[in-house]
Amino acid sequence: MSPHFVSRLLASTAAIAVALVVSGCATIPGAVPVPTSTATATPTDPAPTTTPTPSAVPLTFGDFTGDQLAQICIDQTRSTFSPDVTFDTESTRIERRTVTPEWLVIVPARTGGMEGRSLCTIGGTPDSPVVEMASGSIDELPEEQIQRLIRGENEGTNP
């Protein structure tokens, strides 16, 4: 046999061996076969091109929705602001209180070019809300005071 023929034969044998190992057809003594998937890939849906809309189900707070609590507070405090007041109901903060009325509602507002907020404590039901405290302010409300209001401490006074 010619050396060129032997070289080609070894190269072919090596290529076949590599192909067998890669395809999983060759077995190695003591080796555990690795299962391979026979499933075929299915095309996935294309990514949506629009932003998903928020759920139509409003957040609830007891019998109230967040929108109802925000609107009750706005209605109770609108007269404390300039006529140009706008309320940011999307950023309304609602906290469950440890006392009654059950809900602390803080609605951000903008009035006379200044940032403000409506602050209310609300209980009862949507058909018969009970508003114990309602105020509109452009003063900053520290988190410490908000926590006191949640606990029912020092209502109506500043820290």
Side-chain angles (χ1 to χ4, degrees):
M1 263 196 256
S2 78
H4 184 60
F5 177 74
V6 172
S7 167
R8 288 176 99 199
L9 182 60
L10 288 175
S12 296
T13 305
I16 291 170
V18 168
L20 289 173
V21 169
V22 170
S23 70
C25 293
T27 59
I28 300 172
V32 176
V34 177
T36 57
S37 174
T38 58
T40 57
T42 57
T44 58
D45 293 333
T49 56
T50 59
T51 304
T53 56
S55 170
V57 178
L59 292 176
T60 58
F61 301 88
D63 293 335
F64 294 96
T65 67
D67 290 341
Q68 288 172 322
L69 287 170
Q71 192 59 54
I72 292 166
C73 191
I74 289 168
D75 292 345
Q76 292 290 315
T77 60
R78 182 179 298 277
S79 65
T80 63
F81 295 106
S82 301
D84 71 340
V85 66
T86 57
F87 295 94
D88 180 5
T89 57
E90 294 290 318
S91 298
T92 298
R93 178 176 175 180
I94 301 170
E95 297 283 348
R96 179 176 287 236
R97 293 170 23 107
T98 58
V99 295
T100 57
E102 185 174 17
W103 304 108
L104 172 64
V105 181
I106 304 169
V107 184
R110 184 148 183 87
T111 184
M114 302 176 80
E115 299 298 318
R117 69 210 40 75
S118 290
L119 177 70
C120 302
T121 56
I122 303 172
T125 65
D127 292 331
S128 184
V130 174
V131 179
E132 186 174 287
M133 179 186 67
S135 67
S137 175
I138 57 170
D139 292 332
E140 187 63 34
L141 187 63
E143 184 63 29
E144 183 179 306
Q145 179 62 20
I146 292 171
Q147 293 306 313
R148 278 192 224 122
L149 289 168
I150 290 170
R151 293 186 305 265
E153 301 168 1
N154 298 329
E155 292 187 18
T157 61
N158 289 326

